[in-house]
Amino acid sequence: METDGFTGSLIEVIPEGIIAVDAAGRIIGCNAKAMRLLSLSKDPTGSAISALENAALQRFLGDARNGEMREFDVGGKSVSVTYRDLIQGDLRFGAVLLMSLVGERSHAERVRTEFTANVSHELKTPLTSISGYAEMISMGMAQGDDIKRFANKIETEAKRMLTLISDIIRLSQLDEMAEARLSFEVIDFYPIVSDIVELMQPIAQKRGLSIQLSGGSMQVKGDKAMLTELATNLIDNAVRYNRDNGLITVRVADQCFSVRDTGIGISKSDSIHVFERFYRADKSRSKATGGTGLGLAIVKHTCEQLGAVVSLDSREGIGTEITVRFPKV
């Protein structure tokens, strides 16, 4: 049985290395990740398992039980391989091998565990508030103006949850895009930034903030939606974490997009972590401003997709400047 176009495309987007064999032991599918992990010089699809050029792996494929996992040394690399039977009804018609570098596997599991724990914690806080205020209203413990105040609290926390969920979904989409081949076009970035600055002005003015834009036309290769999201996150961040009556300086020139604020700044110890998911240099301030701790992580992932490099320069008590350097078009 040969793999069709859909099956071939499917195993290529799976992040692990994967090899599929039929009941006779003939390889019917192998993705590029598996070829790299096993140091195969050519696609073994259509060949016998001897094409895997690894005696220990061949023996494992011949006698492994469903769900069994072993580690193999391949050219100095430690590769984790999991065996899965392909079964339809009572008929076994083949098997698949799922593989990854041992280091990649442990790192991925750690990141997944930490992310799940953070999401649970971040959602629990607003849910607890919503539940508490709603319970007091339903039990008649809130009277008069308290009802309106509690309702406002519920609305605020619900919006906070929606923002958090939207950011989580966006990060998930960016993770998926990292495995895809994206098609970009050449776009003038300056009009995008100019539109965002105009939209943010009323919000900034409420706190006495001034936003100054300089530079001019700058061609970058990308996607308009991603570029808009990138600029919005950085400018919104500068507004959100700035001091009242402060200044935000936005510049678009020389393949660089920079946003500088006059906020409280970030310590050196915190600066190296700010692009991590859910990291907050000042947790109490982030809660007060409604931040999710995911904005700069989204910026970093977006830059990776665009082939850009993001950097941060910050001094406590003076302010922060974030710069995105785009490759030349």
Side-chain angles (χ1 to χ4, degrees), residues 42 75 95 197 257 266 278 287 295:
K42 63 179 182 179
V197 168
F257 165 56
I266 305 168
F278 292 109
K287 184 176 181 180

Side-chain angles (χ1 to χ4, degrees), residues 189 192 196 223-233:
F189 192 39
I192 292 175
I196 295 167
D223 172 84
K224 185 174 181 180
M226 293 176 70
L227 290 167
T228 301
E229 180 179 52
L230 171 66
T232 300
N233 265 308

Side-chain angles (χ1 to χ4, degrees), residues 40-57:
L40 300 176
S41 58
K42 63 179 182 179
D43 188 347
T45 301
S47 305
I49 59 173
S50 57
L52 298 181
E53 302 174 359
N54 186 300
L57 183 59

Side-chain angles (χ1 to χ4, degrees), residues 92-328:
R92 175 188 175 279
F93 60 92
V96 292
L97 297 178
L98 293 171
M99 56 193 73
S100 61
L101 282 175
V102 171
E104 285 182 347
R105 181 188 180 97
S106 59
H107 174 71
E109 290 177 348
R110 184 172 67 255
V111 169
R112 185 161 49 247
T113 299
E114 291 175 355
F115 184 70
T116 301
N118 278 320
V119 170
S120 299
H121 173 75
E122 295 293 335
L123 288 175
K124 182 178 179 180
T125 302
L127 273 174
T128 300
S129 295
I130 291 171
S131 177
Y133 286 120
E135 184 177 0
M136 284 190 283
I137 292 174
S138 67
M139 294 179 66
M141 297 173 64
Q143 302 293 329
D145 292 341
D146 283 343
I147 295 177
K148 184 177 180 180
R149 183 165 60 88
F150 289 178
N152 286 337
K153 290 283 188 180
I154 291 172
E155 181 182 15
T156 298
E157 294 297 331
K159 287 180 178 178
R160 181 180 168 193
M161 283 183 61
L162 286 172
T163 300
L164 176 62
I165 291 169
S166 294
D167 283 351
I168 292 170
I169 292 171
R170 184 57 184 148
L171 272 175
S172 177
Q173 290 171 338
L174 288 169
D175 285 339
E176 291 175 2
M177 289 167 68
E179 301 293 331
R181 295 177 181 177
L182 302 176
S183 178
F184 293 140
E185 60 181 329
V186 177
I187 298 174
D188 188 352
F189 192 39
Y190 186 84
I192 292 175
V193 175
S194 179
D195 287 345
I196 295 167
V197 168
E198 186 177 348
L199 287 170
M200 295 296 293
Q201 290 286 7
I203 300 172
Q205 288 169 1
K206 286 182 179 179
R207 294 183 51 208
L209 298 172
S210 174
I211 306 179
Q212 297 179 357
L213 173 63
S214 64
S217 178
M218 186 176 82
Q219 305 297 312
V220 299
K221 199 169 185 179
D223 172 84
K224 185 174 181 180
M226 293 176 70
L227 290 167
T228 301
E229 180 179 52
L230 171 66
T232 300
N233 265 308
L234 289 185
I235 297 172
D236 176 73
N237 218 50
V239 171
R240 191 184 297 270
Y241 295 106
N242 210 332
R243 300 176 188 272
D244 288 347
N245 304 311
L247 173 66
I248 299 162
T249 306
V250 182
R251 187 170 184 267
V252 181
D254 303 321
Q255 295 308 116
C256 287
F257 165 56
S258 64
V259 180
R260 185 171 72 242
D261 65 52
T262 54
I264 59 174
I266 305 168
S267 68
K268 287 186 177 180
S269 60
D270 286 317
S271 292
I272 60 175
H273 298 292
V274 294
F275 293 103
E276 296 174 5
R277 300 177 183 191
F278 292 109
Y279 189 85
R280 294 188 178 96
D282 186 340
K283 293 179 174 60
S284 61
R285 185 170 173 83
S286 292
K287 184 176 181 180
T289 58
T292 65
L294 293 174
L296 290 182
I298 291 174
V299 167
K300 180 185 176 183
H301 276 59
T302 302
C303 286
E304 289 173 352
Q305 297 303 308
L306 296 170
V309 177
V310 60
S311 60
L312 178 143
D313 180 24
S314 185
R315 286 182 288 174
E316 288 186 276
I318 295 177
T320 300
E321 181 174 19
I322 297 179
T323 301
V324 177
R325 293 176 174 82
F326 292 93
K328 291 183 178 180

